[in-house]
Amino acid sequence: MKKLLGFLLLVLVGACAAAALLYLRTSAPYRGYQGAEQFVEIPQGSGSAPIGARLVEAGVIRDLATYRLALWMSRQGRHLKAGEYRFDRAMTPIAVIDKIARGDVYVISVTFPEGLTAAEMGKIFEAHGLGTAASFVQAAKDPAPIRDLDPAAHDLEGYLFPETYALPRHTDAAKLVRMMVARFEKVFTPDLRQAAAARHLTVRQAVTLASIVEKETARADERPLVAAVYTTRLRIGMPLQCDPTVIYALAKAGRYDGNIHKDDLSFDSPYNTYRYPGLPPGPIASPGRASLDAALHPADADFLYFVSRNDGSHEFSRTLEEHNRNVQKFQVQYFRDRRQHH
């Protein structure tokens, strides 16, 4: 009888020791993987058991028993969220479960500034390791995502909304461009669509005008004035004579070297607004919200010309005579003085 009691006591002590060890492990940081980081993908609809198996297999939690106790202690079993998680240091099982319950998934933050072409956006896509620039450009050639809004679109130029996107590691180009178009459709509100219709502009024409405004100035106070210049020119049948449209035409043809030359102004392309009157066939970049708004709500001003002051701002004028004086002052004389001082 004493032997039996002794044996049972031994078993009890052993069980208590094992339980104590298990309990300690739930609050002890653990890292069982090699390398600087470990990614764990939790598929949609996964139960707590397969999630635990993935975490143990990845070396994020020591074993299933520790995971199950930590899960029970955390009371988060019903709140674990799908997604890809990144682990880069030793963590307690409780902390691991808390991270997954919060949905603290790993994302890559990608910022596309306003005024970029699809080709330029492709380089940013590639720089973040999401895929090749060529795959982004190829995806942007499919107009299907914007067809309801712009049946005339032959690609997505102008409709890839410039913003910061939080992307999972495995986001491919096709998925991203669909996200960007969806964001454009949300930003291009019913109010803006009504404003375009009131000005007898199609969505494509409105976005094309906005893209020109975007490329001409980065200043918030100038956007409505630039929009007013081009709106007036369109109304009276005056050529837009917009340098960014020429640059876009040259870039499309692989002929842009970073500078615009006098003979470039006669380059034969429907995007060359020195040669062809009216708006070009489509957007020349992706405009931001402010430029879309300015294009459809231009300033009440009768300016027809503007020239750079070389500090990011522009001088606006109503007559060609006044404009020529401004060109002389801010371009010819300005650069002559700079050469003399250097």
Side-chain angles (χ1 to χ4, degrees), residues 208 220 245 332:
T208 300
T245 65
V332 179

Side-chain angles (χ1 to χ4, degrees), residues 114-290:
E114 291 89 348
L116 299 186
T117 63
E120 290 165 333
M121 287 175 162
K123 292 174 183 173
I124 293 174
F125 176 77
E126 184 171 296
H128 283 80
L130 292 162
T132 64
S135 70
F136 185 92
V137 171
Q138 189 60 41
K141 285 180 179 174
D142 179 8
I146 201 67
R147 192 158 281 141
D148 288 348
L149 207 54
D150 177 10
H154 50 268
D155 57 33
L156 297 176
E157 192 77 271
Y159 297 113
L160 302 169
F161 193 72
E163 198 168 76
T164 298
Y165 294 86
L167 306 171
R169 266 193 322 154
H170 305 297
T171 304
D172 63 16
K175 184 176 181 181
L176 176 56
V177 299
R178 286 195 299 272
M179 286 172 64
M180 296 173 82
V181 172
R183 185 70 188 127
F184 168 84
E185 290 182 323
K186 192 167 184 179
V187 170
F188 198 66
T189 60
D191 284 352
L192 288 178
R193 296 175 204 192
Q194 286 169 15
R199 292 186 165 275
H200 307 292
L201 295 171
T202 64
V203 169
R204 185 168 191 78
Q205 289 169 330
V207 177
T208 300
L209 179 55
S211 72
I212 289 173
V213 172
E214 188 69 68
K215 295 299 289 184
E216 288 285 21
T217 183
R219 287 178 60 118
D221 59 328
E222 288 191 350
R223 289 189 186 105
L225 292 171
V226 170
V229 168
Y230 287 122
T231 298
T232 302
R233 286 188 172 203
L234 287 169
R235 191 182 72 243
I236 66 176
M238 180 179 175
L240 297 187
Q241 297 184 324
C242 167
D243 288 358
T245 65
V246 179
I247 291 168
Y248 184 78
L250 293 169
K252 272 181 84 73
R255 291 183 48 169
Y256 184 55
D257 64 4
N259 292 297
I260 191 165
H261 310 280
K262 195 169 184 181
D263 58 344
D264 291 333
L265 302 183
S266 59
F267 178 65
D268 192 11
S269 164
Y271 283 91
N272 184 347
T273 53
Y274 281 85
R275 283 195 67 153
Y276 294 91
L279 286 165
I284 59 168
S286 282
R289 186 192 305 263

Side-chain angles (χ1 to χ4, degrees), residues 1-67:
M1 189 66 181
K2 281 184 180 179
K3 283 186 178 179
L4 181 60
L5 285 172
F7 175 72
L8 289 173
L9 186 62
L10 199 62
V11 169
L12 185 63
V13 169
C16 287
L21 180 63
L22 200 57
Y23 178 78
L24 286 172
R25 281 183 176 178
T26 62
S27 55
Y30 176 75
R31 174 178 177 154
Y33 51 88
Q34 302 298 313
E37 59 188 4
Q38 177 71 292
F39 290 93
V40 178
E41 178 77 38
I42 296 177
Q44 203 72 40
S46 296
S48 60
I51 291 173
R54 283 173 179 261
L55 292 169
V56 171
E57 186 184 348
V60 174
I61 292 179
R62 188 185 297 271
D63 53 53
L64 284 173
T66 305
Y67 166 76

